[in-house]
Amino acid sequence: MDASLELRGIVAGYGQGDILRGLDLDVPAGQITCLIGPNGAGKSTVLRVISGLLEPRAGHVRLAGEDVTGWSPQRMLERGVAHVPQERSLFPSMSVWDNMLMGAYIIDDRAAVVRRATEIADRWPIVARRRNDLAGSLSGGEQKTVEIARAMMLDPPVICFDEPSVGLEPRARKNIFGILAELSSDGRTILLVEQNARSGLAIAHTGAVLDAGIARLVAPASELLESPEVGRLYLGAP
Amino acid sequence: MTWLGRESRTRPGGALQAFAFLGALAVLPVVMGRHWQVNLLVFTLMYAGLASAWNLVGGYAGYAALGHGAFFGIGAYAMAIGTTHLGVGTGYRPFLLVLPIAVGTALAVVPIARLLLRTRAATFAVLSITVMFMVQTFAYNIRSLTHGSQGIAVPVPPFPFTTFERPFYYAMAILLALTVAVCWAVRSSQLGLALNAVRDDEDRARGLGVQTELVKLIAFSLSAGLTAAFGAVWAYYISYVFPGFAIDPLLSLGAILMAFLGGRHTLWGPVVGAALIVPAQQYFAYRYGASHLYLIAYAALFLIVIYLLPDGILPSTTQRLNRLRTRSRARTTPDLLPMEALNPRGESE
Amino acid sequence: MHLIVQATIGGILIGGVYALLASGQAMIFGVTRTVNFAQAIFAILSAYLSYTLFSDFGVDPFLSVLVLVPTMFAFGSAIYIVFLRRLTRSGAELALLVLYAMAIGIQGTLDYFYKTNTRVISPGYTNHSWTVGGYQISEVRLFAFLLAVVVLGSLHAIRQHTKLGRALRATAQNPTAAQLLGVNVERVSAIAMGLGVATAGAAGAVFGMVVPFNGNSQYDLLSKLLSISVLGGMASMPGTIVAAVILGVVESVVAAKISPDWSAFSFLVVLFAVLTVRPQGLFGRRLRGAL
Ligand SMILES: Nc1ncnc2c1ncn2[C@@H]1O[C@H](COP(=O)(O)OP(=O)(O)O)[C@@H](O)[C@H]1O
Ligand SMILES: [Mg+2]
């Protein structure tokens, strides 16, 4: 399936100002695209526009060629686009298991949902181990892992990750990047926003630099990693 | 900031506004001299003052206080008890009680305010209104002092009939001028900045070293004291206090409505709001006062204001003016936008 | 001693009705972050409707609950959809004021149609009671309590064991995350509001048999309800139920030992006493921004 995303001339913001000012971005099918940029550049806003949390004021979002601009998150999920947000998104007072069931909320067949959750639990040991614990009692890294596992409930071909490694200790961070690479090798389309730009670009095929509301630079990830100018401006000292 | 918004000390506009306002206050009862007109003015000034006083807490600090009727009632009862039990006398002498009542209330609310201000948002709103219920219970049940549901009749002053309302008008005018002056002073001081910070993000403000507890307490105490002062003058004017009337949930709601209509956290918004709403309110009360259509009209007015003018008249107007001005100036600098623009009401995290 | 036990029994039974009313309030607050300042007048509205059904059509108040609960559910959802939906979460204070204004408007409407004299719904059995071990148990209060238990039990079952319940809890805990998983947050909020107002419908219908009421009684009821909410922790259903029963008992004991005049006041005293020690209420968690 050609699950590419295309953003054309996206203008979006909150309240009065525009945060994105005519953004064009291509997320090729089956690849990891890593979006980097300074804090407050609007990276999370891009993901919110894609997943339908925020309706753009102008421009178009296309999924595999179809115009999906302004679709609700529910419709986007039905079309196979998941969004794992930057903030913690587990339901803290629900059990890990109930969180998993919530991951397939849009599916009405209860038996199928439970079957799927059991499959995920087989593959993600943390889910099986902490199944009956309240999600809020898990550590930050564990929570992020469960969030990603929950996003897998619908087996979405396209996933947007917003800074999945933020605030994690080094081991958990490495673990998360491992998971992302693995998900990508299944052929999924991944749009990754990363503050740890070096680690993000290292697993990505394509890199894009977001600054002042537009994509300033789009190039193969390896080129961005090597470019001295990008390094100086966006990656920090090597 | 903007011409109707936050003033700065150096701006001559501030002094001009003050003179125009005081001048208008002085001549109004002469220009509009009939009994019903002056009566209307008395209530307009009272509500303008109540709404401005509420604004200190509800607008500047962003704490939705719903129970200011309690402080108004305390002021009213203090005046009634002072003139009857304490034998202060009549004529102009009861007006001398107003200041002590205001100061006394401002100090007396400190312990309860400290308790209330430990909570936020919805919980604060809920608790503030329970304080009003509490004061109302006292008014009903401490009969030796308040005569319970019978109420207290305040001696009617021997003012000449033709100008009977004038002394009350000027008392309200002085109190209103004082209230606006207090608001102005708060806005142009550190305190105003600190309250702004509390409204935007209290935790961050505290993190930055703002003494949030103290500034909230000062704002609340000033607000309660000023509210009580209006209650005291009102009681003398009406010459009758009764629990359901002096401690009225509709009173707080009316003041809030006016502050919203004019523009919360602006200096003149509450005054503008009162000038627009009190005449309508008095008309409703006069037309439908006996029936319950009054309550319905009141609710309808409230809903109309909130849905049609959520930002209030002044901020909407200043925004429009700013847009006109900046259009001719090519580029907007963020400093020129009113606070509301930086605080979008769209989604929040 | 006999008096206190007798008052405690009465207090627990009426506490059940308060719990019913306040749980609806907690559900609404949990999902929409809005304090429903109209919850008390919704109960009074339902009491009047039940009064009319009884006096004009001879419908028993306990039976009228079957009609009033769905009616009030529809009413609550409609209010959410028409008035509250557009005030986004950042406008929670505005929503609270809207509901407060609405409460006043509904009171005006009720006063207009029913006038302001107090009423009480009195089917034949209102004065029946059983004597158990020397204590009187009023039939009406016992049935009211049982009704509360049934309604609260159903609400609990919905919350814990259905998909809608999961959506309700998810929206209360993290609305954005719920939305990203395909929950229609607006719809769930409308349903939460409907359920909350429906509990007021059930509570009001029986409340009107226990206490004489008119439109203005909303303030007395509201002050009790708000005290219960804060004490119970605003969004916590178990906390709310416990707080309601405690306050029901305190009120009843104060009324018996001191004077009924001070019974509503006792709520406020307990409330402020607890708040000096625990600003988040008995069961509330410290939520950033919510408290
Ligand atoms: N819910 C919101 N309401 C108002 N402003 C927001 C909101 N979310 C983000 N912003 C603003 O939009 C800009 C971009 O935010 P975001 O997309 O989160 O940036 P990034 O993810 O690149 O750090 C920031 O200036 C931020 O303050
Ligand atoms: Mg971000």
Side-chain angles (χ1 to χ4, degrees):
Chain A
M1 173 186 176
D2 168 36
S4 65
L5 277 171
E6 268 172 63
L7 280 68
R8 287 292 172 269
I10 297 289
V11 178
Y14 315 86
Q16 300 211 324
D18 293 332
I19 304 294
L20 304 180
R21 307 191 176 100
L23 170 93
D24 296 321
L25 183 69
D26 282 296
V27 182
Q31 292 193 1
I32 298 185
T33 304
C34 182
L35 189 57
I36 63 175
N39 245 335
K43 304 181 296 294
S44 300
T45 306
V46 174
L47 301 199
R48 288 187 197 128
V49 166
I50 293 174
S51 64
L53 276 181
L54 182 69
E55 197 166 336
R57 291 168 181 163
H60 292 276
V61 181
R62 290 198 194 88
L63 173 65
E66 184 183 5
D67 193 336
V68 294
T69 319
W71 282 22
S72 70
Q74 185 183 344
R75 272 181 95 187
M76 290 306 284
L77 272 182
E78 281 160 6
R79 285 300 310 271
V81 179
H83 176 182
V84 180
Q86 186 175 349
E87 315 77 47
R88 293 196 170 170
S89 73
L90 291 185
F91 305 108
S93 312
M94 284 191 191
S95 66
V96 167
W97 187 251
D98 273 358
N99 266 284
M100 297 311 289
L101 299 186
M102 278 305 296
Y105 179 81
I106 59 168
I107 293 176
D108 281 325
D109 180 354
R110 164 103 188 171
V113 171
V114 171
R115 226 178 303 124
R116 176 70 185 157
T118 315
E119 260 172 56
I120 300 260
D122 287 342
R123 233 177 305 152
W124 301 66
I126 172 98
V127 174
R129 198 154 25 100
R130 307 296 301 265
R131 178 184 158 125
N132 294 320
D133 294 342
L134 289 188
S137 68
L138 272 55
S139 76
E142 289 173 325
Q143 289 198 26
K144 208 70 209 178
T145 314
V146 173
E147 274 179 57
I148 298 175
R150 184 178 69 180
M152 288 305 114
M153 282 291 290
L154 295 174
D155 198 10
V158 182
I159 317 180
C160 303
F161 287 105
D162 201 344
E163 309 202 9
S165 73
V166 81
L168 302 188
E169 24 102 20
R171 241 182 59 167
R173 188 185 302 167
K174 235 179 100 189
N175 184 24
I176 294 282
F177 282 114
I179 293 171
L180 296 189
E182 199 183 309
L183 292 179
S184 164
S185 63
D186 294 348
R188 288 175 219 274
T189 308
I190 292 179
L191 176 55
L192 170 67
V193 169
E194 246 323 313
Q195 268 291 305
N196 299 310
R198 281 179 195 285
S199 324
L201 289 173
I203 58 164
H205 305 88
T206 313
V209 179
L210 185 70
D211 200 352
I214 58 166
R216 280 245 171 268
L217 197 59
V218 182
S222 50
E223 266 177 44
L224 287 186
L225 271 175
E226 277 151 28
S227 148
E229 197 194 354
V230 170
R232 187 165 47 79
L233 284 174
Y234 300 108
L235 303 182
Chain B
M1 234 174 177
T2 61
W3 65 292
L4 289 165
R6 187 158 40 186
E7 264 76 21
S8 70
R9 279 173 195 283
T10 51
R11 194 95 57 86
L16 214 65
Q17 279 174 28
F19 274 120
F21 182 57
L22 289 176
L25 284 183
V27 302
L28 265 175
V30 180
V31 185
M32 297 171 59
R34 300 192 186 184
H35 287 293
W36 69 268
Q37 289 172 327
V38 184
N39 179 53
L40 179 60
L41 288 173
V42 168
F43 280 103
T44 308
L45 298 197
M46 179 181 97
Y47 270 104
L50 290 173
S52 300
W54 178 84
N55 208 18
L56 284 166
V57 178
Y60 302 171
Y63 270 66
L66 299 179
H68 271 44
F71 313 126
F72 185 85
I74 288 173
Y77 267 95
M79 174 60 95
I81 293 166
T83 47
T84 52
H85 294 20
L86 300 185
V88 175
T90 180
Y92 292 100
R93 289 180 48 202
F95 289 122
L96 297 177
L97 284 178
V98 173
L99 193 63
I101 287 172
V103 174
T105 308
L107 295 177
V109 299
V110 166
I112 197 104
R114 286 188 52 170
L115 199 55
L116 291 191
L117 291 166
R118 283 164 69 183
T119 63
R120 294 203 194 159
T123 314
F124 174 83
V126 167
L127 287 177
S128 67
I129 200 171
T130 57
V131 170
M132 186 178 70
F133 292 132
M134 214 187 257
V135 172
Q136 208 175 39
T137 316
F138 283 134
Y140 272 116
N141 294 336
I142 306 186
R143 297 200 185 84
S144 56
L145 210 54
T146 65
H147 303 179
S149 53
Q150 220 185 335
I152 307 176
V154 180
V156 178
F159 298 142
F161 174 75
T162 43
T163 55
F164 181 84
E165 295 89 356
R166 290 264 178 105
F168 298 103
Y169 172 86
Y170 285 110
M172 290 292 188
I174 291 169
L175 280 183
L176 173 60
L178 176 71
T179 307
V180 174
V182 167
C183 291
W184 178 83
V186 166
R187 296 169 72 90
S188 45
S189 68
Q190 276 307 102
L191 183 58
L193 277 181
L195 290 172
N196 259 336
V198 165
R199 186 179 74 223
D200 283 349
D201 187 339
E202 183 163 347
D203 293 318
R204 195 165 46 172
R206 203 203 321 244
L208 292 173
V210 175
Q211 288 186 295
T212 53
E213 300 307 315
L214 184 66
V215 298
K216 290 189 297 183
L217 193 61
I218 293 173
F220 194 99
S221 171
L222 283 173
S223 177
L226 289 165
T227 304
F230 286 100
V233 175
W234 173 84
Y236 192 33
Y237 181 49
I238 297 291
S239 59
Y240 177 63
V241 294
F242 151 83
F245 193 36
I247 306 156
D248 183 359
L250 282 186
L251 184 114
S252 326
L253 205 59
I256 294 171
L257 172 60
M258 292 162 203
F260 264 90
L261 175 62
R264 266 205 302 179
H265 32 85
T266 63
L267 181 61
W268 293 108
V271 178
V272 172
L276 291 173
I277 289 184
V278 176
Q281 190 187 31
Q282 294 289 312
Y283 176 76
F284 284 143
Y286 168 72
R287 260 326 278 280
Y288 309 116
S291 79
H292 316 290
L293 293 176
Y294 176 61
L295 294 182
I296 301 173
Y298 211 94
L301 192 61
F302 202 107
L303 296 182
I304 289 169
V305 167
I306 286 191
Y307 288 103
L308 298 187
L309 282 164
D311 291 331
I313 291 174
L314 292 192
S316 309
T317 321
T318 31
Q319 262 173 46
R320 221 159 287 149
L321 280 173
N322 269 325
R323 230 168 284 151
L324 282 180
R325 274 192 225 159
T326 48
R327 202 167 293 163
S328 57
R329 232 189 284 156
R331 248 191 90 88
T332 322
T333 52
D335 287 346
L336 282 171
L337 291 172
M339 278 309 288
E340 285 72 14
L342 305 175
N343 195 2
R345 44 185 39 257
E347 32 185 292
S348 64
E349 65 282 10
Chain C
M1 193 57 212
H2 182 273
L3 193 63
I4 290 184
V5 175
Q6 178 67 59
T8 305
I9 293 171
I12 290 174
L13 296 182
I14 193 76
V17 179
Y18 291 150
L20 188 53
L21 194 58
S23 306
Q25 180 92 332
M27 159 155 292
I28 294 171
F29 184 79
V31 175
T32 68
R33 295 284 150 203
T34 299
V35 183
N36 182 9
F37 264 71
Q39 185 80 345
I41 198 73
F42 288 144
I44 305 274
L45 167 66
S46 174
Y48 271 119
L49 293 177
S50 170
Y51 176 88
T52 297
L53 284 174
F54 176 70
S55 54
D56 293 359
F57 303 96
V59 180
D60 184 277
F62 284 103
L63 277 181
S64 71
V65 166
L66 296 178
V67 185
L68 290 173
V69 163
T71 309
M72 296 302 279
F73 176 89
F75 191 46
S77 306
I79 285 179
Y80 182 84
I81 291 166
V82 176
F83 290 101
L84 304 183
R85 193 175 42 154
R86 58 182 86 190
L87 304 176
T88 50
R89 268 152 209 289
S90 56
E93 277 167 35
L94 228 47
L96 179 156
L97 285 172
V98 163
L99 285 163
Y100 192 10
M102 224 173 258
I104 285 165
I106 295 173
Q107 185 191 338
T109 314
L110 289 174
D111 287 353
Y112 180 75
F113 284 110
Y114 288 97
K115 308 307 169 224
T116 49
N117 42 330
T118 52
R119 302 177 190 232
V120 68
I121 310 169
S122 22
Y125 51 83
T126 16
N127 294 321
H128 292 190
S129 59
W130 293 290
T131 309
V132 180
Y135 297 106
Q136 304 272 311
I137 296 179
S138 139
E139 201 176 309
V140 169
R141 289 189 184 220
L142 182 65
F143 282 137
F145 181 80
L146 292 178
L147 174 78
V149 170
V150 169
V151 176
L152 287 175
S154 326
L155 217 52
H156 180 78
I158 291 175
R159 272 170 55 82
Q160 294 302 320
H161 303 296
T162 67
K163 197 170 159 182
L164 169 66
R166 265 204 301 280
L168 284 167
R169 287 184 288 144
T171 306
Q173 290 173 32
N174 190 338
T176 309
Q179 211 179 346
L180 280 177
L181 297 176
V183 176
N184 185 338
V185 169
E186 298 294 3
R187 223 181 106 226
V188 168
S189 301
I191 292 174
M193 181 86 186
L195 288 173
V197 174
T199 67
V206 295
F207 184 75
M209 288 188 284
V210 182
V211 183
F213 61 93
N214 67 6
N216 211 39
S217 332
Q218 71 154 321
Y219 291 113
D220 187 48
L221 196 53
L222 183 65
S223 81
K224 293 176 184 174
L225 184 59
L226 295 178
S227 309
I228 292 170
S229 298
V230 176
L231 212 54
M234 298 301 277
S236 154
M237 305 274 271
T240 300
I241 292 171
V242 174
V245 174
I246 291 177
L247 287 178
V249 170
V250 170
E251 172 194 44
S252 180
V253 170
V254 167
K257 291 296 269 191
I258 304 172
S259 149
D261 289 344
W262 293 101
S263 66
F265 187 68
S266 60
F267 273 60
L268 304 172
V269 172
V270 173
L271 174 64
F272 279 90
V274 170
L275 283 176
T276 40
V277 192
R278 275 179 70 85
Q280 66 272 47
L282 282 178
F283 303 92
R285 247 174 282 149
R286 220 172 213 306
L287 296 175
R288 202 178 115 107
L291 201 77

